[in-house]
Amino acid sequence: MAIASKGSNRKRATNRVEDVRVLRVGHRPGRDPRLTTHVALTARALGARRLYLHPADPAIAERLAAVRERWGGEFEVEGIQDYRTLLRTWPGTIVHLTMYGLPLDRVIRRIRRDRPVLVVVGGAKVPSALYQMASFNVAVGHEPHSEVAALALTLDRLMGVPGPGPRSGARQWIRPRAHGKSLAERKDAP
Ligand code: SAM
């Protein structure tokens, strides 16, 4: 199914996957809040439905809840203590992003077949179990870079980049402009 919305590249994403979720393993509460916040913001902005965060970190969940309050949508952060059970019981495809894996563009068609898709990103240290439990170990280029970049490119291949306009329940959204900034606000917003 091809989804097209004005100003987005979703038409390009033929056979778009509707339900994509992200698991972030190896978060260090209090140590790298910015990086995990960026993983969460990227997952949300590019259309993932949920971020499972291991270990749980209420500060990140609250930050993303505040973003949702203003910008709308359904995205949530769910802290989990046991990511192995999530992986063992996942009903669709598990994609573990690692520079050691197969090239993204070589496996993307097979990844799309079995849904929902869970995209897993690691932190400073990646448990070896992830390599065994994944349906696919996937590289976005075979050089080390960032979980945020790897996630963004993978979500683009799976769903395309959303176009402009308000999400459900949004209090504000952007009106694209060639120059300057334009922010629309819902009239009855408190
Ligand atoms: N030292 C870790 C290891 O042993 O793999 C990698 C740390 S890297 C900063 C953090 C995460 O970014 C990785 O777990 C992976 O999910 C993602 N990542 C980094 N480079 C990648 C690449 N070339 N392809 C896919 N994912 C990548």
Side-chain angles (χ1 to χ4, degrees):
M1 176 176 49
I3 307 279
S5 95
K6 212 174 173 188
S8 80
N9 70 347
R10 288 194 172 204
K11 200 171 176 182
R12 179 163 75 77
T14 51
N15 202 14
R16 178 175 184 270
V17 179
E18 297 290 336
D19 189 349
V20 180
R21 298 164 194 232
V22 177
L23 167 63
R24 201 289 201 257
V25 173
H27 168 63
R28 297 174 297 181
R31 283 191 65 186
D32 51 7
R34 198 156 179 273
L35 190 50
T36 298
T37 299
H38 284 190
V39 168
L41 287 171
T42 300
R44 179 194 168 277
L46 297 186
R49 294 193 177 177
R50 177 171 292 245
L51 174 72
Y52 300 102
L53 181 56
H54 177 273
D57 185 341
I60 305 271
E62 280 164 26
R63 211 165 290 148
L64 267 291
V67 171
R68 173 178 161 162
E69 176 70 18
R70 273 181 289 131
W71 295 91
E74 305 295 324
F75 184 83
E76 285 181 349
V77 176
E78 179 183 340
I80 57 170
Q81 297 308 335
D82 177 10
Y83 68 85
R84 286 167 188 260
T85 298
L86 179 73
L87 295 176
R88 217 176 285 124
T89 57
W90 188 256
T93 306
I94 299 170
V95 179
H96 171 222
L97 295 180
T98 165
M99 65 180 174
Y100 301 102
L102 297 174
L104 176 62
D105 287 334
R106 196 195 290 174
V107 290
I108 189 68
R109 285 173 162 214
R110 283 190 279 154
I111 288 171
R112 289 202 195 105
R113 276 186 209 149
D114 198 11
R115 305 167 183 200
V117 174
L118 180 67
V119 180
V120 187
V121 294
K125 281 190 184 155
V126 178
S128 59
L130 284 184
Y131 292 86
Q132 312 307 324
M133 298 181 89
S135 323
F136 297 92
N137 290 290
V138 173
V140 182
H142 295 270
E143 309 283 335
H145 52 84
S146 150
E147 47 270 58
V148 178
L151 177 63
L153 286 162
T154 303
L155 294 179
D156 176 50
R157 297 299 193 285
L158 291 171
M159 292 185 288
V161 176
R167 294 191 179 197
S168 60
R171 289 164 55 182
Q172 62 182 47
W173 61 96
I174 285 168
R175 294 194 206 93
R177 292 285 182 265
H179 302 283
K181 301 192 266 186
S182 177
L183 190 68
E185 285 182 57
R186 210 179 70 208
K187 294 260 180 327
D188 56 348

